[in-house]
Amino acid sequence: MTPTRKRRLIAVASLVVGIGIAAALALSAFKENMLYFYSPTDIAQDKVPPGAVFRVGGLVVAGSVVRSSDSLDMRFDVTDTAKTVNIRYTGILPDLFKEGQGIVALGRIGPDGVFQASEVLAKHDETYMPPEVHDSIEKAKRQSAQAKQQSANTLTP
């Protein structure tokens, strides 16, 4: 093998190794920054990895918003019509946040089982609902209807 050919081979091999390392680093950074969406039903069924940061969404339960009188702390419940999750948030809520409306919260489950939100997003107009929230509500409704149908079938002789 000639010295020129040997240098080319080393250069090509170095380039391939460099591209491989860069791709591996990019993929690991991408994986770490992924935010998954879970519905209240998924959380109740323990489908959430412990300590993971994720999004949860649903409808704010009427009468569940409790604000602290001396701080920006508040608690409220979010439901997908099948299960409910209690959320604790410290901060200023969006202007469009209100009971009965769809929201998406970003955070993690605390040691007490309450979702600790770091960010709360409210829908931006009267007809919009985040697709994940809409899908989880529809899925919960279908499961509820199937359960009712199954129980009706088992009760009829």
Side-chain angles (χ1 to χ4, degrees):
M1 188 178 281
T2 65
T4 306
R5 193 169 188 188
K6 196 180 231 182
R7 272 188 257 137
R8 281 187 195 156
L9 184 61
I10 290 172
V12 169
S14 298
L15 185 65
V16 169
V17 169
I19 290 173
I21 290 171
L25 289 173
L27 289 174
S28 70
F30 181 69
K31 183 178 178 185
E32 289 175 7
N33 291 325
M34 298 250 335
L35 292 176
Y36 293 100
F37 177 86
Y38 292 98
S39 69
T41 300
D42 294 335
I43 295 169
Q45 295 172 349
D46 292 327
K47 292 183 178 179
V48 180
V53 175
F54 62 95
R55 295 179 296 159
V56 64
L59 301 174
V60 178
V61 176
S64 69
V65 179
V66 177
R67 299 173 194 265
S68 174
S69 60
D70 59 345
S71 69
L72 293 176
D73 294 341
M74 61 190 58
R75 292 175 83 112
F76 55 93
D77 294 335
V78 171
T79 184
D80 62 0
T81 69
K83 300 289 182 181
T84 301
V85 171
N86 189 267
I87 296 178
R88 183 180 301 138
Y89 177 66
T90 301
I92 298 172
L93 288 170
D95 292 337
L96 296 173
F97 178 92
K98 60 183 172 180
E99 296 175 351
Q101 297 293 325
I103 64 113
V104 173
L106 172 67
R108 66 181 61 185
I109 299 289
D112 57 355
V114 175
F115 186 82
Q116 306 290 327
S118 59
E119 184 178 8
V120 174
L121 305 171
K123 68 182 202 165
H124 68 277
D125 69 17
E126 301 222 359
T127 59
Y128 176 77
M129 181 177 293
E132 298 94 345
V133 174
H134 182 267
D135 293 344
S136 68
I137 290 172
E138 291 300 318
K139 181 180 175 185
K141 285 180 182 177
R142 284 193 303 272
Q143 289 174 346
S144 177
Q146 289 173 349
K148 286 179 184 177
Q149 182 66 28
Q150 287 176 349
S151 65
N153 289 344
T154 58
L155 294 177
T156 52

